[in-house]
Amino acid sequence: MSRAPEPPPPADHAAPPAASVFEPVHDRYGLRLALVLGNQAPGGVCPWAAAGRCHHCDIGLGEGRALDAPANLARLAWLLAHHAADLERVAHLVVYDSGSVLNPRELAPEVLDAVLAAARGLPAARVVSLDTREAFVTGPALARVAGALGPGLVARITLGLESADDRVREGALAKRMPLAAVARAIDALGQAEAALGPGRFGLDVNVLVGGPGTTPATTVDDAVATARWAAERARAAGLGVDLNVHPYYPSARGLGRFPDHPRCPPELTARAVLALTAAARALAPGAGVFVGWQDEGHDHEPARRDEELARARAAFDAFNRGQDPGALAPLLAR
Ligand code: SF4
């Protein structure tokens, strides 16, 4: 594979909000870098959030402005220049846009093409994850992605399921994300994988741990049931699956709707990760798990977040990197 392209000089106006510049971390593939582009929908707001059709996250509210395609291309150039020292080692590129990367209204096709071209130029890249709502996972969209990436890179589609329990996902989180629609997207991904040959696509599923609709007594069971649902659907579709685990923290929208719902402590997250990893691997032996902790500044309890990271980050980082549940032992012993 060719060397990483020389990034163009950065333009300061293209810089994202500081909290949206993710620190590179390690996962099962190697160095993982997440790029947060702007959302190009009106107001820069994810259309599901704008229409009141999803109340889950503050990230969908965007950064207070809509970027157009030239501004987003400048953002991409800024991010590549900012991370220039790491680009040659990036194995896993993760792409966000405060909404759906595969929706051309939120990310113009030329911007997506530029992101995929940049990924293709990364010498160590193996995997590209694209975060999107289920509605945009279609055969033509997937063919476009695979064509742009070429056969050397796996395109993983990230779906924010959060919980397979309708009472949690549709009731408490109000995601307006029917399981049947998610299953259809997974099947479309599987069909693309079957059509283009093995190893072109994979499935990432987000799992929210300890969020509204759960209690400390039901959190682990909810996470396990969600992991099982994702692993079963992925296996049926002929896809590998990775689970992105996010402990709940109170965001502005979360606090507004559930002022008394507590954040999920690392110890409970570790118990859930241990259980859901075993459950997923029993159904899909190659399943990977990643514990995410970077919050784009939306955690309304930053001091508690810092305190939790001080005692938990080393264990989560070791788990993310080596995938050994034993790495969580320091948290499970508390
Ligand atoms: S979870 Fe996704 S669809 Fe819902 S508001 Fe956030 S970005 Fe938008």
Side-chain angles (χ1 to χ4, degrees), residues 72-133:
N72 239 352
L73 289 169
R75 167 73 57 87
L76 175 63
W78 188 97
L79 287 164
L80 294 175
H82 179 79
H83 293 293
D86 294 316
L87 288 183
E88 291 214 344
R89 295 182 297 119
V90 170
H92 187 181
L93 191 70
V94 179
V95 187
Y96 298 117
D97 68 346
S98 301
S100 294
V101 166
L102 292 184
N103 180 1
R105 284 185 60 224
E106 297 179 67
L107 194 74
E110 62 264 39
V111 181
L112 179 59
D113 285 349
V115 173
L116 299 175
R120 196 170 174 161
L122 299 175
R126 298 163 59 196
V127 180
V128 179
S129 288
L130 304 172
D131 189 82
T132 192
R133 284 292 299 219

CSV table of all heavy atoms in Angstrom, one decimal, residues 72-133:
chain,number,residue,atom,x,y,z
A,72,ASN,N,-16.2,21.2,5.0
A,72,ASN,CA,-16.0,19.9,5.6
A,72,ASN,C,-14.7,19.3,5.0
A,72,ASN,O,-13.9,18.6,5.7
A,72,ASN,CB,-17.2,18.9,5.3
A,72,ASN,CG,-17.8,18.4,6.6
A,72,ASN,OD1,-17.2,18.5,7.7
A,72,ASN,ND2,-18.9,17.7,6.4
A,73,LEU,N,-14.4,19.6,3.8
A,73,LEU,CA,-13.1,19.1,3.2
A,73,LEU,C,-12.0,19.8,3.9
A,73,LEU,O,-10.9,19.2,4.2
A,73,LEU,CB,-13.1,19.4,1.7
A,73,LEU,CG,-14.0,18.5,0.8
A,73,LEU,CD1,-14.1,19.1,-0.6
A,73,LEU,CD2,-13.5,17.1,0.8
A,74,ALA,N,-12.2,21.1,4.3
A,74,ALA,CA,-11.1,21.8,5.0
A,74,ALA,C,-11.0,21.2,6.4
A,74,ALA,O,-9.9,21.1,7.0
A,74,ALA,CB,-11.5,23.3,5.1
A,75,ARG,N,-12.1,20.8,7.0
A,75,ARG,CA,-12.1,20.1,8.3
A,75,ARG,C,-11.3,18.8,8.2
A,75,ARG,O,-10.5,18.5,9.1
A,75,ARG,CB,-13.5,19.8,8.8
A,75,ARG,CG,-13.7,18.8,9.9
A,75,ARG,CD,-13.3,19.4,11.3
A,75,ARG,NE,-14.0,20.6,11.6
A,75,ARG,CZ,-15.3,20.6,12.2
A,75,ARG,NH1,-15.8,19.5,12.5
A,75,ARG,NH2,-15.9,21.8,12.4
A,76,LEU,N,-11.5,18.1,7.1
A,76,LEU,CA,-10.8,16.8,6.9
A,76,LEU,C,-9.3,17.1,6.8
A,76,LEU,O,-8.5,16.4,7.5
A,76,LEU,CB,-11.3,16.1,5.7
A,76,LEU,CG,-10.6,14.8,5.3
A,76,LEU,CD1,-10.7,13.8,6.4
A,76,LEU,CD2,-11.1,14.3,3.9
A,77,ALA,N,-9.0,18.1,6.1
A,77,ALA,CA,-7.5,18.5,5.9
A,77,ALA,C,-6.9,18.9,7.2
A,77,ALA,O,-5.8,18.5,7.6
A,77,ALA,CB,-7.4,19.6,4.9
A,78,TRP,N,-7.7,19.6,8.0
A,78,TRP,CA,-7.2,20.0,9.4
A,78,TRP,C,-7.0,18.8,10.2
A,78,TRP,O,-5.9,18.7,10.9
A,78,TRP,CB,-8.3,20.9,10.0
A,78,TRP,CG,-7.7,21.6,11.3
A,78,TRP,CD1,-7.2,22.8,11.5
A,78,TRP,CD2,-7.7,21.0,12.6
A,78,TRP,NE1,-6.8,23.0,12.8
A,78,TRP,CE2,-7.1,21.9,13.5
A,78,TRP,CE3,-8.1,19.7,13.1
A,78,TRP,CZ2,-7.0,21.6,14.9
A,78,TRP,CZ3,-7.9,19.4,14.5
A,78,TRP,CH2,-7.3,20.4,15.3
A,79,LEU,N,-7.9,17.9,10.2
A,79,LEU,CA,-7.8,16.7,11.1
A,79,LEU,C,-6.6,15.8,10.6
A,79,LEU,O,-5.8,15.3,11.5
A,79,LEU,CB,-9.0,15.8,11.0
A,79,LEU,CG,-10.2,16.5,11.7
A,79,LEU,CD1,-11.5,15.8,11.3
A,79,LEU,CD2,-10.0,16.3,13.3
A,80,LEU,N,-6.4,15.7,9.3
A,80,LEU,CA,-5.2,14.9,8.8
A,80,LEU,C,-3.9,15.6,9.2
A,80,LEU,O,-2.9,14.9,9.6
A,80,LEU,CB,-5.4,14.7,7.3
A,80,LEU,CG,-6.5,13.8,6.9
A,80,LEU,CD1,-6.6,13.8,5.4
A,80,LEU,CD2,-6.5,12.4,7.4
A,81,ALA,N,-3.9,16.9,9.1
A,81,ALA,CA,-2.7,17.6,9.5
A,81,ALA,C,-2.4,17.5,11.0
A,81,ALA,O,-1.3,17.3,11.4
A,81,ALA,CB,-2.8,19.1,9.1
A,82,HIS,N,-3.5,17.6,11.8
A,82,HIS,CA,-3.4,17.6,13.2
A,82,HIS,C,-2.8,16.2,13.7
A,82,HIS,O,-2.1,16.1,14.6
A,82,HIS,CB,-4.8,17.8,13.8
A,82,HIS,CG,-4.8,17.8,15.3
A,82,HIS,ND1,-4.3,18.9,16.1
A,82,HIS,CD2,-5.1,16.8,16.2
A,82,HIS,CE1,-4.4,18.5,17.4
A,82,HIS,NE2,-4.9,17.3,17.5
A,83,HIS,N,-3.3,15.2,13.0
A,83,HIS,CA,-2.9,13.8,13.4
A,83,HIS,C,-1.7,13.3,12.5
A,83,HIS,O,-1.5,12.1,12.5
A,83,HIS,CB,-4.1,12.9,13.3
A,83,HIS,CG,-5.2,13.1,14.3
A,83,HIS,ND1,-5.0,13.0,15.6
A,83,HIS,CD2,-6.4,13.6,14.1
A,83,HIS,CE1,-6.1,13.3,16.3
A,83,HIS,NE2,-7.0,13.7,15.4
A,84,ALA,N,-1.0,14.2,11.8
A,84,ALA,CA,0.0,13.7,10.9
A,84,ALA,C,1.0,12.8,11.5
A,84,ALA,O,1.4,11.8,10.8
A,84,ALA,CB,0.7,14.9,10.3
A,85,ALA,N,1.4,13.0,12.7
A,85,ALA,CA,2.4,12.2,13.3
A,85,ALA,C,2.0,10.8,13.6
A,85,ALA,O,2.8,9.8,13.7
A,85,ALA,CB,2.9,12.8,14.7
A,86,ASP,N,0.6,10.6,13.6
A,86,ASP,CA,0.1,9.2,13.9
A,86,ASP,C,-0.4,8.5,12.6
A,86,ASP,O,-0.7,7.3,12.7
A,86,ASP,CB,-1.1,9.3,14.9
A,86,ASP,CG,-0.6,9.8,16.2
A,86,ASP,OD1,0.4,9.3,16.7
A,86,ASP,OD2,-1.3,10.7,16.8
A,87,LEU,N,-0.6,9.2,11.5
A,87,LEU,CA,-1.3,8.6,10.4
A,87,LEU,C,-0.7,7.3,9.9
A,87,LEU,O,-1.4,6.4,9.5
A,87,LEU,CB,-1.4,9.6,9.3
A,87,LEU,CG,-2.4,10.8,9.5
A,87,LEU,CD1,-2.5,11.7,8.3
A,87,LEU,CD2,-3.8,10.3,9.9
A,88,GLU,N,0.6,7.3,9.9
A,88,GLU,CA,1.3,6.1,9.3
A,88,GLU,C,1.0,4.8,10.1
A,88,GLU,O,1.1,3.7,9.7
A,88,GLU,CB,2.8,6.3,9.2
A,88,GLU,CG,3.1,7.3,8.2
A,88,GLU,CD,4.4,7.0,7.5
A,88,GLU,OE1,5.2,6.2,8.0
A,88,GLU,OE2,4.7,7.6,6.4
A,89,ARG,N,0.6,5.0,11.4
A,89,ARG,CA,0.3,3.8,12.3
A,89,ARG,C,-1.2,3.5,12.4
A,89,ARG,O,-1.5,2.6,13.1
A,89,ARG,CB,0.9,4.1,13.6
A,89,ARG,CG,2.5,4.2,13.6
A,89,ARG,CD,3.0,4.3,15.0
A,89,ARG,NE,2.6,5.6,15.6
A,89,ARG,CZ,1.9,5.7,16.7
A,89,ARG,NH1,1.5,4.6,17.4
A,89,ARG,NH2,1.5,6.8,17.2
A,90,VAL,N,-2.0,4.3,11.8
A,90,VAL,CA,-3.5,4.1,12.1
A,90,VAL,C,-3.9,2.8,11.4
A,90,VAL,O,-3.8,2.7,10.2
A,90,VAL,CB,-4.3,5.3,11.5
A,90,VAL,CG1,-5.8,5.0,11.6
A,90,VAL,CG2,-4.0,6.6,12.4
A,91,ALA,N,-4.5,1.9,12.2
A,91,ALA,CA,-5.0,0.7,11.6
A,91,ALA,C,-6.5,0.7,11.5
A,91,ALA,O,-7.1,0.1,10.6
A,91,ALA,CB,-4.7,-0.5,12.6
A,92,HIS,N,-7.2,1.5,12.3
A,92,HIS,CA,-8.6,1.6,12.3
A,92,HIS,C,-9.1,3.1,12.3
A,92,HIS,O,-8.8,3.8,13.3
A,92,HIS,CB,-9.2,0.9,13.6
A,92,HIS,CG,-10.6,0.7,13.6
A,92,HIS,ND1,-11.3,0.2,14.7
A,92,HIS,CD2,-11.6,1.1,12.8
A,92,HIS,CE1,-12.6,0.2,14.5
A,92,HIS,NE2,-12.8,0.7,13.3
A,93,LEU,N,-9.7,3.5,11.2
A,93,LEU,CA,-10.2,4.8,11.1
A,93,LEU,C,-11.7,4.8,11.4
A,93,LEU,O,-12.4,4.0,10.7
A,93,LEU,CB,-9.9,5.4,9.7
A,93,LEU,CG,-10.1,6.9,9.5
A,93,LEU,CD1,-9.0,7.7,10.3
A,93,LEU,CD2,-10.1,7.2,8.0
A,94,VAL,N,-12.1,5.7,12.3
A,94,VAL,CA,-13.5,5.7,12.6
A,94,VAL,C,-14.0,7.1,12.2
A,94,VAL,O,-13.4,8.1,12.4
A,94,VAL,CB,-13.7,5.5,14.1
A,94,VAL,CG1,-15.2,5.6,14.5
A,94,VAL,CG2,-13.1,4.2,14.6
A,95,VAL,N,-15.2,7.1,11.5
A,95,VAL,CA,-15.7,8.4,10.9
A,95,VAL,C,-17.0,8.7,11.5
A,95,VAL,O,-18.0,7.9,11.4
A,95,VAL,CB,-15.8,8.3,9.4
A,95,VAL,CG1,-16.1,9.7,8.8
A,95,VAL,CG2,-14.5,7.8,8.8
A,96,TYR,N,-17.1,9.9,12.1
A,96,TYR,CA,-18.4,10.5,12.6
A,96,TYR,C,-18.7,11.8,11.9
A,96,TYR,O,-17.8,12.5,11.4
A,96,TYR,CB,-18.2,10.8,14.1
A,96,TYR,CG,-17.9,9.6,15.0
A,96,TYR,CD1,-16.7,9.5,15.7
A,96,TYR,CD2,-18.8,8.6,15.2
A,96,TYR,CE1,-16.5,8.5,16.6
A,96,TYR,CE2,-18.6,7.5,16.0
A,96,TYR,CZ,-17.4,7.5,16.7
A,96,TYR,OH,-17.1,6.4,17.6
A,97,ASP,N,-20.0,12.2,12.0
A,97,ASP,CA,-20.4,13.5,11.5
A,97,ASP,C,-21.5,14.0,12.3
A,97,ASP,O,-22.3,14.8,11.8
A,97,ASP,CB,-20.7,13.5,10.0
A,97,ASP,CG,-22.0,12.7,9.7
A,97,ASP,OD1,-22.5,12.0,10.6
A,97,ASP,OD2,-22.6,12.9,8.6
A,98,SER,N,-21.6,13.7,13.6
A,98,SER,CA,-22.7,14.1,14.4
A,98,SER,C,-24.0,13.7,13.8
A,98,SER,O,-25.0,14.4,14.0
A,98,SER,CB,-22.7,15.6,14.7
A,98,SER,OG,-21.5,16.0,15.3
A,99,GLY,N,-24.0,12.5,13.2
A,99,GLY,CA,-25.2,12.0,12.6
A,99,GLY,C,-24.9,10.8,11.8
A,99,GLY,O,-24.2,9.9,12.2
A,100,SER,N,-25.3,10.8,10.5
A,100,SER,CA,-25.2,9.7,9.6
A,100,SER,C,-24.2,9.9,8.5
A,100,SER,O,-24.5,10.7,7.6
A,100,SER,CB,-26.5,9.3,9.0
A,100,SER,OG,-27.4,8.8,10.0
A,101,VAL,N,-23.1,9.3,8.5
A,101,VAL,CA,-22.1,9.4,7.5
A,101,VAL,C,-22.5,9.0,6.1
A,101,VAL,O,-22.1,9.6,5.1
A,101,VAL,CB,-20.8,8.6,7.9
A,101,VAL,CG1,-19.8,8.5,6.8
A,101,VAL,CG2,-20.1,9.3,9.1
A,102,LEU,N,-23.5,8.1,6.1
A,102,LEU,CA,-23.9,7.6,4.7
A,102,LEU,C,-25.1,8.4,4.2
A,102,LEU,O,-25.7,8.0,3.2
A,102,LEU,CB,-24.3,6.1,4.8
A,102,LEU,CG,-23.1,5.2,5.0
A,102,LEU,CD1,-23.5,3.7,4.9
A,102,LEU,CD2,-22.0,5.4,4.0
A,103,ASN,N,-25.6,9.4,4.9
A,103,ASN,CA,-26.7,10.2,4.4
A,103,ASN,C,-26.1,11.4,3.7
A,103,ASN,O,-25.4,12.3,4.2
A,103,ASN,CB,-27.5,10.8,5.6
A,103,ASN,CG,-28.7,11.7,5.1
A,103,ASN,OD1,-28.8,11.9,3.9
A,103,ASN,ND2,-29.4,12.2,6.1
A,104,PRO,N,-26.3,11.4,2.3
A,104,PRO,CA,-25.7,12.5,1.5
A,104,PRO,C,-26.1,13.9,1.9
A,104,PRO,O,-25.4,14.9,1.6
A,104,PRO,CB,-26.1,12.2,0.1
A,104,PRO,CG,-27.1,11.1,0.2
A,104,PRO,CD,-27.0,10.5,1.5
A,105,ARG,N,-27.2,14.0,2.6
A,105,ARG,CA,-27.6,15.4,3.1
A,105,ARG,C,-26.8,15.8,4.3
A,105,ARG,O,-26.7,17.0,4.7
A,105,ARG,CB,-29.1,15.3,3.6
A,105,ARG,CG,-30.1,15.4,2.4
A,105,ARG,CD,-31.5,15.5,2.9
A,105,ARG,NE,-31.7,16.7,3.7
A,105,ARG,CZ,-32.4,16.7,4.8
A,105,ARG,NH1,-32.9,15.6,5.4
A,105,ARG,NH2,-32.6,17.9,5.5
A,106,GLU,N,-26.2,14.8,5.0
A,106,GLU,CA,-25.4,15.1,6.2
A,106,GLU,C,-23.9,15.1,5.9
A,106,GLU,O,-23.2,15.8,6.6
A,106,GLU,CB,-25.7,14.1,7.3
A,106,GLU,CG,-27.2,14.2,7.8
A,106,GLU,CD,-27.5,13.2,8.9
A,106,GLU,OE1,-26.9,13.3,10.0
A,106,GLU,OE2,-28.3,12.2,8.6
A,107,LEU,N,-23.5,14.4,4.9
A,107,LEU,CA,-22.1,14.4,4.5
A,107,LEU,C,-22.1,14.2,3.0
A,107,LEU,O,-22.5,13.2,2.5
A,107,LEU,CB,-21.4,13.2,5.2
A,107,LEU,CG,-19.8,13.3,5.1
A,107,LEU,CD1,-19.3,14.4,6.0
A,107,LEU,CD2,-19.2,12.0,5.4
A,108,ALA,N,-21.7,15.3,2.3
A,108,ALA,CA,-21.7,15.3,0.8
A,108,ALA,C,-20.9,14.1,0.3
A,108,ALA,O,-19.9,13.8,0.9
A,108,ALA,CB,-21.2,16.6,0.3
A,109,PRO,N,-21.4,13.5,-0.8
A,109,PRO,CA,-20.6,12.4,-1.4
A,109,PRO,C,-19.2,12.7,-1.6
A,109,PRO,O,-18.3,11.8,-1.4
A,109,PRO,CB,-21.4,12.1,-2.7
A,109,PRO,CG,-22.8,12.5,-2.4
A,109,PRO,CD,-22.6,13.7,-1.5
A,110,GLU,N,-18.9,13.9,-2.1
A,110,GLU,CA,-17.5,14.2,-2.3
A,110,GLU,C,-16.6,14.3,-1.1
A,110,GLU,O,-15.4,14.0,-1.1
A,110,GLU,CB,-17.3,15.5,-3.1
A,110,GLU,CG,-17.8,16.8,-2.4
A,110,GLU,CD,-19.2,17.2,-2.8
A,110,GLU,OE1,-20.1,16.2,-3.0
A,110,GLU,OE2,-19.5,18.4,-3.0
A,111,VAL,N,-17.3,14.6,0.0
A,111,VAL,CA,-16.5,14.6,1.3
A,111,VAL,C,-16.3,13.1,1.8
A,111,VAL,O,-15.2,12.8,2.2
A,111,VAL,CB,-17.3,15.4,2.4
A,111,VAL,CG1,-16.5,15.4,3.7
A,111,VAL,CG2,-17.5,16.8,1.9
A,112,LEU,N,-17.3,12.3,1.6
A,112,LEU,CA,-17.2,10.9,2.0
A,112,LEU,C,-16.1,10.3,1.1
A,112,LEU,O,-15.2,9.5,1.6
A,112,LEU,CB,-18.5,10.1,1.8
A,112,LEU,CG,-18.4,8.6,2.1
A,112,LEU,CD1,-18.0,8.4,3.5
A,112,LEU,CD2,-19.8,8.0,1.9
A,113,ASP,N,-16.1,10.6,-0.2
A,113,ASP,CA,-15.1,10.1,-1.1
A,113,ASP,C,-13.7,10.5,-0.6
A,113,ASP,O,-12.7,9.7,-0.7
A,113,ASP,CB,-15.3,10.6,-2.5
A,113,ASP,CG,-16.5,9.9,-3.2
A,113,ASP,OD1,-16.9,8.8,-2.7
A,113,ASP,OD2,-16.9,10.3,-4.3
A,114,ALA,N,-13.6,11.8,-0.2
A,114,ALA,CA,-12.2,12.3,0.2
A,114,ALA,C,-11.8,11.5,1.5
A,114,ALA,O,-10.6,11.2,1.7
A,114,ALA,CB,-12.3,13.8,0.5
A,115,VAL,N,-12.7,11.3,2.4
A,115,VAL,CA,-12.4,10.5,3.6
A,115,VAL,C,-11.9,9.1,3.3
A,115,VAL,O,-10.9,8.6,3.8
A,115,VAL,CB,-13.6,10.4,4.6
A,115,VAL,CG1,-13.3,9.5,5.7
A,115,VAL,CG2,-14.0,11.8,5.0
A,116,LEU,N,-12.6,8.5,2.3
A,116,LEU,CA,-12.3,7.1,2.0
A,116,LEU,C,-11.0,7.1,1.2
A,116,LEU,O,-10.2,6.1,1.4
A,116,LEU,CB,-13.4,6.5,1.2
A,116,LEU,CG,-14.8,6.4,1.9
A,116,LEU,CD1,-15.9,5.8,1.0
A,116,LEU,CD2,-14.7,5.5,3.1
A,117,ALA,N,-10.7,8.1,0.4
A,117,ALA,CA,-9.4,8.2,-0.3
A,117,ALA,C,-8.3,8.3,0.7
A,117,ALA,O,-7.2,7.8,0.6
A,117,ALA,CB,-9.4,9.3,-1.3
A,118,ALA,N,-8.5,9.2,1.7
A,118,ALA,CA,-7.5,9.4,2.8
A,118,ALA,C,-7.3,8.0,3.5
A,118,ALA,O,-6.1,7.7,3.8
A,118,ALA,CB,-8.0,10.4,3.8
A,119,ALA,N,-8.3,7.3,3.8
A,119,ALA,CA,-8.2,6.0,4.5
A,119,ALA,C,-7.3,5.1,3.6
A,119,ALA,O,-6.5,4.3,4.1
A,119,ALA,CB,-9.5,5.4,4.8
A,120,ARG,N,-7.6,5.1,2.3
A,120,ARG,CA,-6.9,4.2,1.4
A,120,ARG,C,-5.5,4.5,1.4
A,120,ARG,O,-4.6,3.6,1.1
A,120,ARG,CB,-7.6,4.3,0.0
A,120,ARG,CG,-7.2,3.2,-0.9
A,120,ARG,CD,-8.1,3.2,-2.1
A,120,ARG,NE,-7.6,2.2,-3.1
A,120,ARG,CZ,-8.3,1.8,-4.1
A,120,ARG,NH1,-9.5,2.2,-4.3
A,120,ARG,NH2,-7.8,0.9,-4.9
A,121,GLY,N,-5.1,5.7,1.6
A,121,GLY,CA,-3.7,6.1,1.6
A,121,GLY,C,-3.0,5.9,2.9
A,121,GLY,O,-1.8,6.2,3.0
A,122,LEU,N,-3.6,5.4,3.9
A,122,LEU,CA,-3.0,5.2,5.2
A,122,LEU,C,-2.2,3.8,5.1
A,122,LEU,O,-2.9,2.8,4.9
A,122,LEU,CB,-4.0,5.2,6.3
A,122,LEU,CG,-4.7,6.5,6.5
A,122,LEU,CD1,-5.8,6.3,7.6
A,122,LEU,CD2,-3.8,7.6,6.9
A,123,PRO,N,-1.0,3.8,5.3
A,123,PRO,CA,-0.2,2.5,5.0
A,123,PRO,C,-0.6,1.4,5.9
A,123,PRO,O,-0.4,0.2,5.5
A,123,PRO,CB,1.2,3.0,5.2
A,123,PRO,CG,1.2,4.2,6.0
A,123,PRO,CD,-0.1,4.9,5.7
A,124,ALA,N,-1.0,1.6,7.2
A,124,ALA,CA,-1.3,0.5,8.1
A,124,ALA,C,-2.8,0.3,8.2
A,124,ALA,O,-3.2,-0.6,9.0
A,124,ALA,CB,-0.7,0.9,9.5
A,125,ALA,N,-3.6,1.0,7.5
A,125,ALA,CA,-5.0,0.9,7.7
A,125,ALA,C,-5.6,-0.5,7.3
A,125,ALA,O,-5.2,-1.0,6.3
A,125,ALA,CB,-5.8,2.0,7.0
A,126,ARG,N,-6.4,-1.0,8.2
A,126,ARG,CA,-7.1,-2.3,7.9
A,126,ARG,C,-8.6,-2.2,7.9
A,126,ARG,O,-9.3,-2.9,7.2
A,126,ARG,CB,-6.7,-3.3,9.0
A,126,ARG,CG,-5.2,-3.6,9.0
A,126,ARG,CD,-4.9,-4.3,10.3
A,126,ARG,NE,-5.6,-5.6,10.5
A,126,ARG,CZ,-5.7,-6.2,11.7
A,126,ARG,NH1,-5.2,-5.7,12.8
A,126,ARG,NH2,-6.4,-7.3,11.8
A,127,VAL,N,-9.1,-1.2,8.7
A,127,VAL,CA,-10.5,-1.1,8.9
A,127,VAL,C,-11.0,0.3,8.9
A,127,VAL,O,-10.3,1.2,9.5
A,127,VAL,CB,-10.8,-1.8,10.3
A,127,VAL,CG1,-12.3,-1.7,10.6
A,127,VAL,CG2,-10.3,-3.2,10.4
A,128,VAL,N,-12.1,0.6,8.3
A,128,VAL,CA,-12.8,1.9,8.4
A,128,VAL,C,-14.2,1.7,8.9
A,128,VAL,O,-15.0,1.0,8.3
A,128,VAL,CB,-12.8,2.6,7.0
A,128,VAL,CG1,-13.5,3.9,7.1
A,128,VAL,CG2,-11.4,2.7,6.4
A,129,SER,N,-14.5,2.4,10.0
A,129,SER,CA,-15.9,2.3,10.5
A,129,SER,C,-16.6,3.6,10.2
A,129,SER,O,-16.1,4.7,10.4
A,129,SER,CB,-15.8,2.1,12.1
A,129,SER,OG,-15.4,0.8,12.4
A,130,LEU,N,-17.9,3.4,9.7
A,130,LEU,CA,-18.7,4.5,9.3
A,130,LEU,C,-20.0,4.5,10.1
A,130,LEU,O,-20.8,3.6,10.0
A,130,LEU,CB,-19.0,4.4,7.8
A,130,LEU,CG,-17.8,4.3,6.9
A,130,LEU,CD1,-18.3,4.0,5.4
A,130,LEU,CD2,-17.0,5.6,6.9
A,131,ASP,N,-20.2,5.6,10.9
A,131,ASP,CA,-21.3,5.6,11.8
A,131,ASP,C,-22.6,6.2,11.1
A,131,ASP,O,-22.5,7.3,10.5
A,131,ASP,CB,-20.9,6.5,13.0
A,131,ASP,CG,-21.9,6.5,14.1
A,131,ASP,OD1,-21.9,5.5,14.9
A,131,ASP,OD2,-22.8,7.4,14.2
A,132,THR,N,-23.7,5.5,11.1
A,132,THR,CA,-24.8,5.9,10.3
A,132,THR,C,-26.1,5.4,10.9
A,132,THR,O,-26.1,4.3,11.6
A,132,THR,CB,-24.7,5.5,8.9
A,132,THR,OG1,-25.7,6.2,8.1
A,132,THR,CG2,-24.8,4.0,8.7
A,133,ARG,N,-27.2,6.0,10.6
A,133,ARG,CA,-28.5,5.5,10.9
A,133,ARG,C,-28.8,4.3,9.9
A,133,ARG,O,-28.2,4.3,8.8
A,133,ARG,CB,-29.6,6.5,10.8
A,133,ARG,CG,-29.8,7.5,11.9
A,133,ARG,CD,-30.2,6.9,13.2
A,133,ARG,NE,-31.5,6.3,13.2
A,133,ARG,CZ,-32.4,6.4,14.2
A,133,ARG,NH1,-32.2,7.2,15.3
A,133,ARG,NH2,-33.6,5.8,14.2
